[in-house]
Amino acid sequence: MPSRWAEKQTFIARRFFLATVAQAVVCGLLAWILAVIIGPPVPTERVRIPGAFIAGTLFLIAGSWFLQCSIMEVRRERQIPFRRDLLLALVSAMLFVGVQSFGLWAFSRATLDSHDPQQNAHGFIFMFTALHAMHFVVAQSVLLWVTLCAFMDRYDHEYYWGVTFASWFWHLLGIAWFGILCVFTIAA
């Protein structure tokens, strides 16, 4: 006989697919709206940190804060604040990805083509940032799964491993992002 949780997993999997598509559309729309409103930067040979990367970092920090708050709330068995904090972390993740996508586009548009790769740090930094973005989309998917599971009563004060994992993953990528910002600063 299947457990109650096993029966809910199929339902969550369907919701996860739809929510993932909706999340991608929202992030893409945000990046596109920013591109239309702000437009491309003036091309230069100097490495400049796009303002979108700095603004996106604030969303990364906010998401980290909300994830830590969600862990504290689930440990106390406060389900409503726990779920609210997870939703706020998810919104922060979507804002981060949308703003960072615009920043990556702006960074690629701000590059004058230098044919000497030894004098051009743009490609190296772009690669690092794009790899970080791909990993962050995975972290965002983990956070989405955990949030959907939280709304299906998966986590309580005794079991909240998924929330802890999502938080660790998020923090690890945050540390990597600060490392990328340091590379930007050195290259500038």
Side-chain angles (χ1 to χ4, degrees):
M1 179 169 180
S3 69
R4 193 171 139 228
W5 172 242
E7 292 172 1
K8 290 182 179 182
Q9 283 179 320
T10 303
F11 177 77
I12 291 174
R14 288 185 192 122
R15 295 286 187 244
F16 178 74
F17 174 75
L18 295 174
T20 300
V21 170
Q23 198 174 25
V25 168
V26 168
C27 292
L29 275 174
L30 177 59
W32 179 77
I33 289 169
L34 289 172
V36 168
I37 291 172
I38 298 172
V42 178
T44 181
E45 286 186 16
R46 289 191 61 222
V47 174
R48 286 185 294 174
I49 300 174
F53 285 177
I54 304 302
T57 301
L58 298 175
F59 293 122
L60 180 74
I61 292 167
S64 188
W65 172 262
F66 290 126
L67 272 171
Q68 281 307 117
C69 290
S70 70
I71 290 173
M72 288 187 300
E73 297 298 348
V74 75
R75 284 179 180 167
R76 294 185 204 143
E77 197 61 51
R78 297 180 55 191
Q79 290 294 321
I80 292 173
F82 161 62
R83 292 173 183 155
R84 180 200 62 221
D85 289 339
L86 278 177
L87 280 176
L88 289 171
L90 189 58
V91 168
S92 296
M94 290 169 54
L95 291 171
F96 176 78
V97 170
V99 170
Q100 294 295 92
S101 296
F102 164 71
L104 200 56
W105 172 80
F107 181 72
S108 70
R109 298 292 301 257
T111 304
L112 283 178
D113 189 22
S114 174
H115 296 290
D116 185 3
Q118 292 180 351
Q119 294 180 353
N120 188 352
H122 286 89
F124 181 72
I125 294 170
F126 184 86
M127 179 203 63
F128 261 150
T129 307
L131 282 171
H132 181 266
M134 289 188 297
H135 285 88
F136 201 87
V137 168
V138 172
Q140 186 179 4
S141 297
V142 169
L143 180 57
L144 177 62
W145 179 262
V146 166
T147 303
L148 289 172
C149 290
F151 277 90
M152 297 298 293
D153 296 325
R154 177 65 173 151
Y155 305 111
D156 59 18
H157 69 282
E158 293 177 355
Y159 178 78
Y160 52 91
W161 168 243
V163 183
T164 303
F165 176 77
S167 178
W168 287 351
F169 198 4
W170 183 291
H171 298 324
L172 180 66
L173 288 173
I175 291 167
W177 177 245
F178 282 111
I180 291 169
L181 287 178
C182 287
V183 170
F184 259 114
T185 304
I186 292 168

